[in-house]
Amino acid sequence: MSRNLLKSSVENASFSIIFQVLFRCLTFVINAWVLRHVGHAVIGIMNVRLLLLESSILFLSREPFLRACLGHKNGPTWPQVINQMWLTLPISVVFSVLFLYVWLHVLSLGHPEYATQYAFGCWSVAISCVIELASASVALVAQIFCFVKLRVALDTVHILVRTVIFLAILLYDTNKALIAFSVAQVFSALTITFSYYVFFHWYIKKLNQYRRTKDAKFEKHFQYMEDFPFKSIKEFLPQKHGQIETLLDAQLCTLTVSFAKQGFVKQLLTEGEKYVMSVSPVLSFSEQATYDVVNNLGSLAARFIFRPIEESGYFYFTQMIDRDIEIKEQEESKVSESCTVLRQLCKIVTSIGLIVLVFGQSYARTLLLLYGGEGFVGSGLPVLLMRCHCLAVILLAINGVTECYAFATMASRQLDRYNYLMVFFSVSFLLLSYVLTNLLGPVGFILSNCINMLARIFHSTYFIKNKFKDTAHQPLEGLIIGKVFGGALIGAGLICKVSEIRVSPYSQILHVLGGSVVLVMVMGAWAYENWELLEFVYDKYVTKKRGDHLKSKDE
């Protein structure tokens, strides 16, 4: 393809980040409103049970085919690829029937008053998945040929349609929340499927016109699409002509089966907590809803701060360190610089995690009170979960940076072994979650996650320490905080806890303002101890950008 794939990938990542932020802000506001007007049990049924059904059907039906077909270059023809993607439809029907039986007859509901709405919801989610997969071939083409703005626009429309319909029905009758959720799922799936076909019908018509006329006014839009192989919207449908052995590509089928095996494990590990919640009879839907809300709020730092740091760090370390060469045999300047960067990243994420841990103990109730109201925090369970989750945040931060370095610098054989070890960690996490949840309730999920993170941190730090054992570099020193910052954190924790006990019952505003002042003092202590790091960042980026700007003006 003559189009710029790198540029399209960067655009896709940028749009995805912006879309995620906007989507999270929207769902944050909606969920806060729903918490105040809908029963917690209903929220648990929607956010855990029904969304898990959707995730299970869509991921297992689509992911193996998508990953296999996205990587196709030579061999399969486009009709074979389209036929392969259309297999997702009958497979989704099979999974829908299987999971519907499990969701309706095996997994207990425990709320007979919601039985009718729940059954309607399960059927609606399954139907919406089948409808959405009717556009799987078109969505694949849009991704391969870099229709980035189209995909972002349709994802936005998908979310907006679902949100508007859900809120419209809910405002009419708050007792029909599950019905509102179900109807919104079906209509949003219809919208995105219909929109894909309408757009490509219009696009192919205009492209064919440009090919005939070479009209200059269309050149901007179609000059890099000469290799677009489709001449009609009908070519997105299954191809019936030809011999049976040519309808599908054998190599592509084999690759799909391989991805399907991985997909089952990946889905189990990704949604492991929700599967345990659904199977375990210990957690009620109200407790599931509480855990889901707290988990989403507590994961904001991981999504918006730690994850970008990990992704950028992974790319940097892969460029600086060679996987299959001993560290002492590599270029010393690169090794030294990468070691410094790792130490500073460890220091930054550890500091952020400790701030979250300290202030979270005194402001968890305030945050949840603002988010869900007095009725949500009244039981005390959400506050306990949030405080425990603050410990998980710091472990998540440390694990993210150390593991990203390990993944980026492990030799190929080490990486293969670690993939099996990750499966062991994940399966152990599921078993531990089941045991601790039965003993401790929702807190068991967080504790099992903390234990899992500690095990992974131990493995990653052991790898890093072993890698630098014959050198003078000590990158893990970044995990040790300074005395000034540590003392400031201890003082801040005591002040904020006193404020929570003495001030918070009378004025949440004063409690928050006092905490803000203390936070500024803590950050000042950190800046004092890490002034060299701040100067380095300023000289490296701010001064450089200013110089580039002046240089461009002179030119």
Side-chain angles (χ1 to χ4, degrees), residues 34 37-51 109 111-125 165-166 169-170 173-186 285:
V34 171
H37 296 85
V38 178
H40 292 177
V42 176
I43 296 174
I45 294 172
M46 290 190 301
N47 290 355
V48 177
R49 185 69 66 83
L50 294 182
L51 286 182
L109 183 62
H111 289 270
E113 67 274 21
Y114 299 127
T116 303
Q117 291 191 45
Y118 173 71
F120 180 78
C122 289
W123 279 99
S124 299
V125 167
I165 293 177
F166 175 71
I169 299 176
L170 205 58
D173 188 352
T174 55
N175 294 320
K176 301 295 183 183
L178 291 176
I179 299 295
F181 176 87
S182 307
V183 173
Q185 288 288 116
V186 173
F285 282 113

Side-chain angles (χ1 to χ4, degrees), residues 342 402 405 459-468 475-476:
L342 177 58
T402 56
Y405 181 86
H459 181 274
S460 299
T461 52
Y462 175 80
F463 169 82
I464 294 171
K465 188 175 181 178
N466 190 59
K467 197 173 188 68
F468 289 98
L476 295 178

Side-chain angles (χ1 to χ4, degrees), residues 5 9 25 32 67 85 116 127 169 183 196 199 202 210 269 273 336 356 359 384 394 396 431 437 481 486-487 517:
L5 294 178
S9 299
C25 290
R67 292 182 65 185
M85 287 304 297
T116 303
I127 291 171
I169 299 176
V183 173
Y196 263 122
F199 172 81
W202 170 85
Y210 170 73
L269 303 181
E273 292 178 351
S336 178
V356 171
F359 283 85
L384 175 62
I394 184 174
L396 186 67
L431 295 176
T437 303
I481 63 172
V517 173

Side-chain angles (χ1 to χ4, degrees), residues 47 120 152 273 304 321 358 368 379 419 453 462:
N47 290 355
F120 180 78
V152 172
E273 292 178 351
F304 297 139
I321 303 296
V358 169
L368 293 171
S379 66
N419 287 334
M453 288 297 168
Y462 175 80

